[in-house]
Every structure is written in structure tokens, then in C-alpha cells.
Amino acid sequence: MLKRAHQQIRRAGKKLNYSDKQVDWLLRTDAEHQFEIKLANGKTFQAYRVQHNNKRGPYKGGIRFHSEVEFDEVRALATLMTMKTAVLDLPLGGGKGGVVVEPRDLSAAELEELSRKYVVGLQKHIGPDKDVMAPDVNTNATVIDWMVDEYERLSGDTNHASFTGKSLDNGGIEGREAATGRGGVITLAEFLKHQKAGFEKLTYAIQGFGNVGAFFANVALEDHPKWQLLAASDSKNAVYSPKGLDTADIVKFKADGGRFSDYNSEAVKIISNDDLIGLEVDVLILAALGNAVTDKNVDQIKAKYVMELANGPVTVTAQQNLEKRGIPVIPDIIANAGGVVVSFLEWQQNLSGNKMTESQTSRKLHQYMARAVKEMIDTSETEAISVTEASFMNALRNLDNNN
Ligand code: NAD
């Protein structure tokens, strides 16, 4: 993933005639923190925080708790955060953190101690005007609330702007949970509108019906009832109906902890994840993992458009293959940026003390996303390049213009 992020930045830098020195500056990280967290019972865990670039404002990015967290992955995600905040024109930079841990193996008390000690290890380097952290894989509002409490106990700060993704009672913002999925829906609608492709009616499939995928489907059902979800997958199987799935029912099925292999409906076929990638749909939405589409399976894709809701799901060469076949890939740094836009609004809300309603948040989210999509298409047309390249070019320009 780090290689992919660097390749994309190098390509955009080349288009902008950047010198090697300028590109190197974009690839390097400002600071990397690595430390061990030791719990009172003697268990130890490796912890990371990468602060990639703060030229536009405080570092911004999530913290993941996962057994497979690796330093290079954290570097890649921090780098992508810098690109995301820049292309969305937010006054923020890019960072990312992680702890190598399987949270399901910890008791609630151990998880709280781990969360608080992560903050103790980083206290000097974080804060509302330095580095604003947020939830990511396996971290949620409960974890963040513990972290805010620990940070404020150590620093004496009280405005709650040190972290985003807090619970509503603790300074969180309405609509944060749905924000990444909602941002994806806005991105797709705006993109198709600019393509003059007609976006009222379409069919789509979602690889990875988790938090982001399910919110996408739910928001789409409300805002674009003629968009038809034909297939959705989890890590093992996919459900498929050429006539369209009952979106509300599968959202509920997943929320209740069901596995698609057990989904029981006469109108629905259980297919494999590989089959889902090859379905004839208008839009294939990748919302599971990085490197889901590579040279090995890219030729199976029959969709007219691909959208990256996960971070880094299409490799650079697979993306080039799709572009050659006339299949645009709507890139992650815009498609999944809804979460960071609403995080920014939460941070602003905490700093100003003015609480936003959910409809105000959605309106602002729409403005930020629609502008980034339009700028992506404009650059793609004027430079005759793919929308992915155009997004990275716009991100680099916005970084450069922020003197
Ligand atoms: P999640 O864990 O809730 O959902 C992931 C889904 O993918 C699950 O349904 C899981 O079963 C499925 N999955 C796992 N392996 C799979 C495989 N090999 N094939 C098909 N499906 C598989 O995670 P999430 O929060 O929905 O995040 C999904 C992606 O979006 C991640 O790449 C994440 O980094 C990215 N993302 C999330 C946010 C956010 O706000 N949550 C923001 C930006 C980017």
C-alpha cells in the first residue's frame, strides 16, 4: 500500500514537473513514533503514530487496533490522509496510528488501559492544534472517549477538540457514523452527473458490506431509490439477485451479526467474492480491503465504473488496465473522504462551541465532496488524464498553494 501511495504521488509530481527534491519531500514523513505499551498485568503491545505532513494544518487520522498492523501500512495510510485532506481542501494534514493487538482478546478494563496508555505515550505530540486523532478499524467512540479523558487529564485542556469520533454526549457530531458511506453516495452521484451519464437509475454491487458499505447502501436507498443493489459480500460469500436485493433487509441481517452464507431468500443466490467482482453491473464498489483488485483478477471486471470506498483496493497497474478499457476508477482519496470531512466539522464545532445539526453537517459534507469531484473532473479533462491521477494532482497543487 505504501508503494502504491508513493507511485501515485510520483506520477502526479511528474505531471506537475516537480523536482526529485520536491517529490521526496512529499514522500517522507515528518515524524514517526514507535513505542511499547505495557499493561499492569504485564502484557505488552507495539504502538505506532506516523505524522506525515502538517503543511495545511494539524495532522489528522485514525488509530486502528489490529493484530496485523504494520509500520509501513501506517505510513501509507498517513500519506493518504495528507492527500485526502489536501484534495478536499481542509485545513488539516495527514497522520495515522495503530496498535498491534487483537482487541477481542482483551477484557474491557484491558482495552481501556491500552487506550489510555496509547495517549500517555503520545501526549507531547498530539492535541487540537498538533495532531487530532479519530477512530479507525476496531476503535470506536468508547475508545475515543477514554482517550479524550486521558488527554485532558494530562494536559488540562477541556474543549474536546483533541480527538474526533467522540460519543454525542462527549462533543461528538451528528452523522459521523454514516459520513463515509454518505460521502461515497455524493461522490458517485456528482461524478455521474458531470459525466452526463444519467445517474437516476443504476445497478451496483458492493464488495465488503461492513460499516462503510452498509451505510453507503442505506444512504443510497434514501437519496437515490432507483439505484439497485444487486450484490453484496462479506469476507466469505456474496448475496446476489439480478432483480435487486432487499437493501433494508440485508442491512438488518448484517447488523444482527448474520453471515451472507446463511442468508435465506428464494430470490437470492449465494455466490463467491470472485463472482461478485465479475458481475455485469453499472458500478462496482470496493469497500473491503486494500489490494482487492490486482493484475490477477482485473480482467474479470465488467462494471462500467469502479469506486474505491476502501483505502487502496485497486493496484496502480490494475487501475491503468481499467482506464485503458474505458472503466474509470473513482479514487479512494475522494470517494471515502466523507469521514474526514465530518471529523473536520466536529473539530471545528468543538473549537467554536457551536453545535451543528445533522442536516447542517450533511449540507456541508455535500459542498466539500461536490467541489472535490468537480475539480477532479475538470483536471482530468484539461490534462487528459485519469480521474485518479487528476485527484492526486489536485492534492499536490493544494499542498503547494498552502504557503
Ligand atoms: P468493516 O470491518 O466494518 O467492513 C469491512 C467489510 O469487508 C466486512 O463486511 C468484511 O466482512 C468484509 N471483508 C473482509 N475481507 C473481505 C474480503 N477478502 N472480501 C470481501 N469482503 C471482505 O470496515 P469499514 O469501516 O467498513 O472499512 C472498510 C474499508 O473502508 C477499509 O479499507 C477502511 O480502511 C476504509 N475506510 C473506512 C472509513 C470509515 O469511516 N470507517 C473511512 C475511510 C476509509
Side-chain angles (χ1 to χ4, degrees):
M1 208 191 270
L2 185 62
K3 196 170 134 202
R4 174 188 182 271
H6 284 185
Q7 275 175 322
Q8 283 166 322
I9 292 171
R10 275 188 217 284
R11 273 205 303 178
K14 207 167 158 191
K15 285 264 172 221
L16 290 164
N17 293 320
Y18 279 11
S19 66
D20 289 349
K21 201 170 149 200
Q22 278 173 299
V23 173
D24 287 346
W25 176 80
L26 290 161
L27 302 185
R28 69 164 182 77
T29 56
D30 287 348
E32 298 187 345
H33 308 282
Q34 180 179 14
F35 56 101
E36 197 177 73
I37 297 175
K38 189 167 185 180
L39 301 189
N41 60 15
K43 288 185 188 171
T44 59
F45 302 93
Q46 194 60 42
Y48 305 104
R49 182 76 186 166
V50 173
Q51 295 171 320
H52 175 253
N53 186 304
N54 67 351
K55 186 159 181 224
R56 295 180 56 86
Y59 304 106
K60 184 87 194 75
I63 311 140
R64 61 177 57 174
F65 287 175
H66 198 279
S67 55
E68 286 168 19
V69 163
E70 285 177 7
F71 218 162
D72 262 355
E73 183 196 45
V74 182
R75 288 185 182 107
L77 292 166
T79 309
L80 284 179
M81 284 305 296
T82 303
M83 297 298 126
K84 240 177 252 189
T85 50
V87 79
L88 266 294
D89 205 15
L90 302 174
L92 295 166
K96 200 80 182 188
V99 179
V100 186
V101 58
E102 180 46 73
R104 275 175 303 193
D105 295 345
L106 298 189
S107 66
E110 286 173 326
L111 192 61
E112 177 171 352
E113 189 185 350
L114 181 82
S115 307
R116 288 181 179 276
K117 286 189 169 163
Y118 184 75
V119 174
V120 172
L122 287 168
Q123 194 238 328
K124 283 197 301 257
H125 310 289
I126 60 175
D129 53 0
K130 285 189 196 156
D131 185 345
V132 183
M133 299 203 251
D136 193 73
V137 176
N138 292 332
T139 51
N140 55 20
T142 307
V143 167
I144 295 295
D145 285 352
W146 289 327
M147 290 187 170
V148 177
D149 184 60
E150 190 63 28
Y151 177 78
E152 297 195 344
R153 193 181 67 76
L154 295 167
S155 66
D157 207 11
T158 54
N159 65 12
H160 289 20
S162 46
F163 288 79
T164 59
K166 301 174 290 286
S167 63
L168 282 178
D169 291 344
N170 200 30
I173 193 163
E174 303 270 2
R176 170 63 187 89
E177 259 198 328
T180 306
R182 184 178 295 283
V185 171
I186 298 168
T187 302
L188 183 57
E190 291 295 316
F191 177 79
L192 295 176
K193 199 161 84 184
H194 288 294
Q195 300 278 301
K196 301 185 180 56
F199 65 96
E200 288 85 8
K201 251 180 112 173
L202 56 81
T203 58
Y204 70 103
I206 300 187
Q207 183 200 50
F209 206 74
N211 184 33
V212 175
F215 272 115
F216 179 97
N218 239 347
V219 173
L221 186 62
E222 214 169 281
D223 293 359
H224 302 282
K226 289 189 180 156
W227 290 8
Q228 237 188 347
L229 175 64
L230 300 195
S233 68
D234 55 26
S235 60
K236 300 274 182 293
N237 291 95
V239 284
Y240 169 58
S241 165
K243 292 197 174 136
L245 295 166
D246 179 344
T247 306
D249 192 59
I250 66 161
V251 168
K252 186 177 178 306
F253 179 78
K254 268 290 161 197
D256 292 343
R259 289 182 192 176
F260 281 145
S261 51
D262 301 328
Y263 190 74
N264 203 353
S265 160
E266 260 178 36
V268 170
K269 273 205 275 187
I270 308 294
I271 60 171
S272 72
N273 249 311
D274 287 349
D275 292 340
L276 177 138
I277 285 197
L279 287 175
E280 283 194 28
V281 284
D282 293 317
V283 188
L284 172 64
I285 293 174
L286 302 168
L289 301 172
N291 296 330
V293 176
T294 64
D295 293 346
K296 284 194 186 136
N297 59 0
V298 66
D299 289 332
Q300 292 172 32
I301 292 182
K302 297 192 193 82
K304 296 187 186 115
Y305 305 94
V306 172
M307 187 160 85
E308 297 185 316
L309 269 192
N311 285 312
V314 183
T315 63
V316 171
T317 51
Q319 180 251 323
Q320 287 167 333
N321 171 314
L322 290 167
E323 294 288 342
K324 268 193 208 135
R325 290 164 52 204
I327 304 171
V329 180
I330 309 170
D332 50 3
I333 59 168
I334 293 186
N336 72 24
V340 72
V341 172
V342 173
S343 281
F344 160 66
L345 300 174
E346 179 179 339
W347 177 67
Q348 260 194 335
Q349 168 184 281
N350 299 139
L351 290 174
S352 68
N354 296 324
K355 210 160 169 46
M356 291 179 82
T357 63
E358 188 157 6
S359 69
Q360 286 171 322
T361 308
S362 292
R363 220 172 23 247
K364 281 262 179 205
L365 174 63
H366 195 283
Q367 284 168 3
Y368 274 97
M369 302 298 304
R371 187 177 57 197
V373 173
K374 179 170 185 325
E375 288 171 356
M376 168 181 86
I377 290 168
D378 287 349
T379 302
S380 154
E381 286 175 356
T382 32
E383 302 286 336
I385 54 177
S386 71
V387 285
T388 302
E389 276 182 282
S391 311
F392 276 82
M393 226 170 140
N394 287 352
L396 264 47
R397 281 187 180 135
N398 285 352
L399 270 166
D400 220 12
N401 293 339
N402 197 251
N403 292 314

